């Protein structure tokens, strides 16, 4: 090996070790120290003891030092890609958890203390739904069977007047400073509902597709003790959503898949109109930020919750357009179904 190249490897090796040491000294980053020392040692061995790679290549039946170093270099790069991907996901999750915690803290969460029934909490995730959120909230009844209705709107990074209009309509409003997706918004709403000791937690969309006059039918099986988790089904009721053939086919496929994996008999796995017994919410392991519907169903089955499906009417959106991209949505649902079922 020529002198300039040897010097370059020595410099690179020492720089990597020094970087790892500095990261550990200033941030106590043990993984960075290990990476820096590992990379630096590899460079130094290549500079001062290249025969080490010859011996290593011989063990692997590789005749070329170049092939040996390239192999290990590529393996290292693959490991680093996975490491960086994991670190990025962990960082995003930490930011989401912090944002969610702050949102819950800033939301009015005092439980009912006057001796009356615990509330039925209506959790409504909303992203730029200023055009429809007031009419949805205004349509909600004050009570169902003597249980007070409490609306919890989670404005998920909206850059319009969604939060302001929801607050003016009397809802408890939690605001995410950044968009976390429907799953993330639901988790925030669930936390607020738990703090309010909700008897039943209902989830519904902010776009007006879920008719309020179906609300009592949705919560009745939970209040009567016949079910822990009640789902609305457009296929047992009426579907005016205007979904195209591709989306309809996708819903039916994922419903079939979930039924096969969980031995269920549901007909509409992506329907967001559902009622869950409040005391059961904390038992669900929820991690999905965007594709929450399959995760909720599979988690409910895993926890032995009694699931019931009732026919409902799905209306057209009152305003705006759907925010679900077809290809990404299908891939996300596939990943969610499989990972939730496996874990």
């Amino acid at each position: 090996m020529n002198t300039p190249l040897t010097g370059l490897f020595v410099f690179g090796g020492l720089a990597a070790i020094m970087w790892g040491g500095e990261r550990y000294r200033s941030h106590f980053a043990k993984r960075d120290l290990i990476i820096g020392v590992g990379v630096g040692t590899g460079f130094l061995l290549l500079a001062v003891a290249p025969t080490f790679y010859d011996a290593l290549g011989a063990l692997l039946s590789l005749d070329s030092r170049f092939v040996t170093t390239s192999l290990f270099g590529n393996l290292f790069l693959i490991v680093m890609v996975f490491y960086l991907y994991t670190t990025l996901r962990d960082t995003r999750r930490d930011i989401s958890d912090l944002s969610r915690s702050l949102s819950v803290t800033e939301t009015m969460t005092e439980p009912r203390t006057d001796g009356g029934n615990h509330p039925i909490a209506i959790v409504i995730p909303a992203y730029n739904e200023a055009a429809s959120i007031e009419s949805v909230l205004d349509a909600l009844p004050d009570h169902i069977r003597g249980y007070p209705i409490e609306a919890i709107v989670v404005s998920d990074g909206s850059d319009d007047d969604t939060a302001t209009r929801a607050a003016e309509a009397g809802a408890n409003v939690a605001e995410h400073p950044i968009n976390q997706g429907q799953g993330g918004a639901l988790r925030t709403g669930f936390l607020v509902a738990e703090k309010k000791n909700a008897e039943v937690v209902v989830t519904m969309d902010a776009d007006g597709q879920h008719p309020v006059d179906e609300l009592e039918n949705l919560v009745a099986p939970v209040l009567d003790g016949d079910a822990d988790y009640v789902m609305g089904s457009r296929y047992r009721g009426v579907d005016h959503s205007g979904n195209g053939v591709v989306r309809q086919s996708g819903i039916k496929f994922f419903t079939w898949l979930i039924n096969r994996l969980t031995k269920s008999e549901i007909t509409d796995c992506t329907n967001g109109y559902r009622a869950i017994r409040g005391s059961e919410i904390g038992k669900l392991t929820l991690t999905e930020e965007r594709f929450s519907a399959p995760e909720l169903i599979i988690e409910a089955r895993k926890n032995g919750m009694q699931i019931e499906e009732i026919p409902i009417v799905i209306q057209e959106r009152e305003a705006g357009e759907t925010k679900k991209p077809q290809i990404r949505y299908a891939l996300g649902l596939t990943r969610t179904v499989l990972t939730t079922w496996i874990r």
Side-chain angles (χ1 to χ4, degrees):
M1 188 179 298
N2 58 58
T3 302
L5 191 57
T6 299
L8 181 62
F9 283 139
V10 169
F11 174 79
L14 293 176
I17 292 173
M18 291 175 64
W19 172 83
E22 176 60 24
R23 288 287 299 170
Y24 183 74
R25 185 188 67 81
S26 59
H27 295 85
F28 302 102
K30 186 179 294 185
R31 285 184 295 185
D32 289 350
L33 175 63
I34 294 171
I35 291 171
V37 171
V39 172
T41 301
F43 277 132
L44 290 175
L45 285 173
L46 194 57
V48 301
T51 55
F52 169 81
Y53 290 96
D54 295 334
L56 195 59
L59 290 175
L60 300 174
S61 299
L62 300 175
D63 298 329
S64 169
R65 182 187 303 168
F66 174 77
V67 172
T68 303
T69 54
S70 297
L71 173 64
F72 281 93
N74 286 321
L75 288 175
F76 174 77
L77 286 176
I78 292 172
V79 171
M80 285 302 300
V81 167
F82 280 110
Y83 166 70
L84 293 173
Y85 175 74
T86 302
T87 300
L88 178 61
R89 281 187 63 87
D90 289 345
T91 301
R92 290 178 61 182
R93 184 175 293 114
D94 289 343
I95 292 173
S96 295
D97 289 345
L98 176 60
S99 173
R100 188 173 298 110
S101 176
L102 291 173
S103 298
V104 173
T105 300
E106 293 173 358
T107 304
M108 195 72 172
T109 57
E110 288 82 0
R112 188 180 181 90
T113 57
D114 59 4
N117 289 327
H118 292 165
I120 295 174
I122 314 295
V123 176
I124 307 175
Y127 174 58
N128 290 341
E129 298 287 2
S132 59
I133 189 64
E134 282 181 293
S135 61
V136 170
L137 293 170
D138 289 342
L140 293 175
D142 293 328
H143 294 80
I144 291 180
R145 296 191 181 186
Y147 292 87
I149 299 297
E150 290 234 19
I152 302 168
V153 174
V154 182
S155 180
D156 189 28
S158 301
D159 53 17
D160 63 1
D161 294 332
T162 296
T164 300
R165 295 191 180 187
E168 290 175 350
N172 299 274
V173 179
E175 289 194 71
H176 288 171
I178 56 175
N179 181 267
Q180 296 186 29
Q182 187 182 61
L186 286 178
R187 287 161 64 192
T188 296
F190 290 162
L191 288 173
V192 176
E194 284 186 281
K195 287 184 176 293
K196 288 181 172 293
N197 295 330
E199 186 74 20
V200 184
V201 180
V202 174
T203 70
M204 65 186 299
D205 291 348
D207 56 15
Q209 285 192 299
H210 296 154
V212 173
D213 56 12
E214 304 275 8
L215 189 55
E216 185 166 354
N217 292 334
L218 193 71
V219 302
V222 179
L223 295 177
D224 293 339
D226 296 328
D228 302 305
Y229 188 114
V230 182
M231 303 169 53
S233 171
R234 76 196 81 192
Y235 299 117
R236 291 185 176 180
V238 181
D239 184 13
H240 294 306
S241 62
N243 287 330
V245 175
V246 173
R247 181 161 171 76
Q248 295 275 13
S249 300
I251 293 172
K252 291 180 179 179
F253 167 75
F254 285 110
T255 298
W256 172 86
L257 179 60
I258 291 172
N259 283 338
R260 298 289 77 74
L261 293 176
T262 64
K263 295 181 173 58
S264 301
E265 296 180 356
I266 61 175
T267 63
D268 191 0
C269 74
T270 63
N271 201 310
Y273 207 13
R274 60 179 76 86
I276 308 172
R277 190 176 302 281
S279 59
E280 299 293 312
I281 288 286
K283 300 177 183 178
L284 305 178
T285 301
L286 304 177
T287 61
E288 281 299 318
E289 299 289 342
R290 302 195 178 276
F291 309 101
S292 58
E295 181 180 52
L296 282 164
I297 297 169
I298 297 172
E299 278 294 314
R301 288 289 291 164
K302 282 185 174 182
N303 284 276
M305 294 170 63
Q306 181 65 36
I307 298 178
E308 184 174 321
E309 196 175 48
I310 66 168
I312 64 165
V313 176
I314 294 293
Q315 308 285 9
E316 289 187 71
R317 288 180 61 95
E318 289 187 6
E321 298 179 353
T322 181
K323 301 173 179 68
K324 298 182 177 72
Q326 288 185 354
I327 300 300
R328 238 182 84 201
Y329 193 68
L331 293 175
L333 283 178
T334 303
R335 175 185 57 77
T336 300
V337 170
L338 295 178
T339 55
T340 307
W341 179 67
I342 290 170
R343 74 182 181 212

